[in-house]
Amino acid sequence: MADELNGITVAFLVAPEGIEQVELTEPWRAVEETGGTPKLVSTSDGEVQAFNHLDAADTFSVDATTDSVSAADFDALVLPGGVANPDFLRTDASAVAFAKGFFDAGKPVAAICHAPWTLVEADVVRGRTLTSWPSLQTDIRNAGATWVDEELVVDRDGPNTLITSRKPDDLAVFDAALVAEFGRSKVSN
């Protein structure tokens, strides 16, 4: 279904550096290949530095900053992982508010690996079930959520749909789920 996300604009929220490159590029490709429009949102203008684990990889141009856009400008949100990326985002008030805005607006959010750290900080996981990189499970539980060790969790028991996966090995199912759920939100709006 090459046009499943036709007319859907998806924000990809990242820090200026520390993004796990494949967790950005693979979902981005999935959105583009299904007709969606991905936009790179960060806390500052210019370029962001992605990584292949601990090794610097490619840079990517920022389309908008968290202080110049809001959830109202997008249909859905993707939060790529990488250890440093969400650790930085959760300390930036505008990034946390931007992510929280999607929950407040009932718009779908997809987060992989370490990315739920930003959602913990935004206090939007309470009562939800999600997965992540295993080292986040205590933080997620302490934030009032149920953590499970599964490749994919699609939680609809809240104001929006929350899609989570554990790691890069889960990207195929993560990408398929976010396309399906983002497409579903298009139909319901």
Side-chain angles (χ1 to χ4, degrees), residues 32-93:
E32 279 187 326
E33 287 180 354
T34 55
T37 304
K39 297 287 185 180
L40 193 62
V41 178
S42 189
T43 55
S44 58
D45 281 326
E47 292 189 331
V48 296
Q49 176 68 59
F51 283 76
N52 293 322
H53 192 51
L54 298 176
D55 299 322
D58 297 323
T59 57
F60 299 89
S61 296
V62 172
D63 294 310
T65 59
T66 52
D67 59 0
S68 68
V69 292
S70 72
D73 300 312
F74 303 95
D75 300 296
L77 173 65
V78 174
L79 294 165
V83 178
N85 175 48
D87 193 43
F88 175 86
L89 291 175
R90 67 184 178 155
T91 65
D92 185 281

Side-chain angles (χ1 to χ4, degrees), residues 105-128:
K107 295 181 179 184
V109 173
I112 188 165
C113 203
H114 289 78
W117 260 341
T118 305
L119 303 179
V120 166
E121 188 63 32
D123 193 24
V124 294
V125 299
R126 190 172 314 281
R128 307 297 294 266

